Structure formats: structure tokens, C-alpha cells
Amino acid sequence: MDGATTMTSPAVLILLGPPGAGKGTQARMLEDKFGLVQLSTGDLLRAAVAAGTEAGKRAKAVMEAGDLVSDDIVIAILRDRLTEADCAKGVILDGFPRTTVQAEALDTLLEESGQKINAAISLDVEDAAMVTRISGRFTCGNCGEGYHDTFKAPAKDGVCDKCGGTEMKRRADDNAETVASRLEAYHAQTAPLIAYYDGKGVLQRVDAMGDIDAIASALGEIVAKAQ
Ligand code: AMP
């Protein structure tokens, strides 16, 4: 083929925001709506810890303390995942990048594959609400659907609305002390990326203090335009 059809490169969307802002929930909704693939470095790291890989062993204690795992580990994990075939559908990066070094590494990776960032969307929330949000959340151990004791309880207690699974999981790092460190890491190391992406002309901001469906619809509009 010599360019008779113009290939549009797969969309690359970034969700920025502190822990508890709803990145995972919203990424899953965008995945369903737009057929994109959610790439959560938190999920990839938790899988590495569970599998006992070398990277997982190095990351475990850091994650339990609510600090950021080193850039080299996270970048390597993300780089590997991006080469998998399903990423050709387009990706939503959830929890990556979290430092300027990671953002620059992502720029290089995308440049190498001829891709660009369609939008970096900041989910804007107030810190005070985050502890409540995080301490009440849990997920279905079977399909990964996210729930919350107050804001999104399953219709039937203990049963996943989506797949009927009955094994609900709470994250080890979703406790008050760790949340404080995670928020601190966000402000010190990740929040500067808002200006980074603004400077590149791809930043969008969404007020993420409202209800899940209203935020999803604001995000949906941005993604529909950005693709
Ligand atoms: P998350 O599931 O996104 O809340 O991430 C859980 C934990 O994994 C974080 O508190 C960090 O310890 C680690 N983590 C996830 N993504 C990154 C990243 N991009 N850079 C450094 N650490 C990360």
C-alpha cells in the first residue's frame, strides 16, 4: 500500500488527577464507549507485585508507602504494554505519566511510533474529598468494575452489577495514612504536568467534583472531539 488511504493513528488520551479523582472509573467508561484500551500503570504494577516479578518486588514497599515507583520501572512496564496488539485501538493512560521524566519518555515513545497525544484531561477535585472517596472504594475481583460504599454501591450487596461476581476487593494502599502520602506525591510530582500539557496545547480540564455520569458526559464530549 502506498498511502492510497490515510491511516489515522490510534488515539492517545491521558487522564490526570490525584488519587480518588475518578480516573479509573472514567477510563473504564471511556473504554466501553469509544472502544479504547485503558492502560493503568497502577493495575500493571499490582499485577507485577502479585506475579512476584523483579519489578513487582522492587515496587511493592514503595506502593504500600504511597510513594511513586521509580521512573525506570514504570516506563519499562508501560513501554512493554504499549507494544501489545490491542493498543492499536487507541489508549487511555490512567495514572501515567506521573512525573516530568515519564512525560518526556512518553513523548519519545510516541514520536518513535508516529503518534501524538490527542488530549491530556485533568480531573479537577478538592483534596478534602479524596480521603472519603478512596476509603470507600472497592472493585469486583472478577471483572474489575469499580464501586463505592456511598457513591456507587452495587444494586445487590456484594454482587457485581456487571458480571455477577461475588468477590469484592479493597486495595491495600487505600487507607488514610497512605492516601496522605499519595496526595503529597501528586502535588509535588504530578500536578506540574498540568502546565506541561497546557504548554503543548493539549490540556483540557474537567470539574470532577460532581456525579459520575455528569463527569462521564463532559469527558465523552472532549474525547469525541479529540479523536
Ligand atoms: P494507582 O492505581 O494509579 O493509584 O497507583 C497505585 C500506586 O502505584 C501509586 O501510589 C504508586 O505507588 C504506583 N504507581 C502507579 N502509577 C505510577 C506511575 N506512573 N509512576 C510511579 N508510580 C506509580
Side-chain angles (χ1 to χ4, degrees):
M1 297 295 274
D2 61 351
T5 51
T6 313
M7 294 288 287
T8 348
S9 54
V12 178
L13 300 155
I14 296 171
L15 289 186
L16 292 170
K23 299 186 297 294
T25 305
Q26 295 297 338
R28 286 174 66 86
M29 291 171 93
L30 290 171
E31 191 175 51
D32 289 347
K33 189 163 177 189
F34 293 95
L36 300 163
V37 174
Q38 173 195 17
L39 294 189
S40 153
T41 42
D43 286 348
L44 293 170
L45 288 165
R46 279 184 287 280
V49 171
T53 65
E54 208 42 55
K57 283 182 198 148
R58 284 171 63 196
K60 189 169 187 282
V62 180
M63 292 171 76
E64 280 167 3
D67 295 329
L68 292 187
V69 173
S70 70
D71 289 326
D72 58 332
I73 292 182
V74 181
I75 291 166
I77 282 187
L78 186 89
R79 189 195 296 120
D80 287 353
R81 181 65 184 87
L82 275 174
T83 61
E84 288 175 31
D86 60 339
C87 293
K89 295 191 235 169
V91 295
I92 311 160
L93 298 176
D94 155 13
F96 183 96
R98 260 173 156 101
T99 65
T100 306
V101 170
Q102 293 177 19
E104 289 168 353
L106 177 65
D107 288 344
T108 308
L109 280 175
L110 295 177
E111 213 172 290
E112 283 165 7
S113 58
Q115 286 176 275
K116 63 175 179 52
I117 294 162
N118 299 62
I121 309 166
S122 168
L123 299 182
D124 294 337
V125 288
E126 290 154 18
D127 275 11
M130 293 306 100
V131 177
T132 325
R133 283 203 193 181
I134 291 178
S135 49
R137 69 186 185 178
F138 57 96
T139 52
C140 168
N142 181 47
C143 74
E145 183 68 359
Y147 292 98
H148 193 281
D149 293 325
T150 315
F151 308 119
K152 193 190 163 198
K156 189 165 175 227
D157 200 20
V159 181
C160 177
D161 295 342
K162 213 166 181 179
C163 75
T166 53
E167 200 187 309
M168 298 295 182
K169 293 192 309 193
R170 289 186 194 253
R171 276 170 50 173
D173 61 345
D174 278 351
N175 58 68
E177 306 88 80
T178 310
V179 170
S181 311
R182 287 159 69 198
L183 281 171
E184 207 177 296
Y186 172 77
H187 288 294
Q189 298 180 75
T190 310
L193 297 182
I194 293 175
Y196 182 89
Y197 288 117
D198 198 17
K200 289 182 173 286
V202 292
L203 181 73
Q204 303 271 357
R205 302 191 81 139
V206 168
D207 175 358
M209 289 300 294
D211 81 64
I212 294 175
D213 291 331
I215 300 162
S217 103
L219 277 173
E221 275 177 36
I222 293 173
V223 174
K225 281 192 200 134
Q227 285 208 90

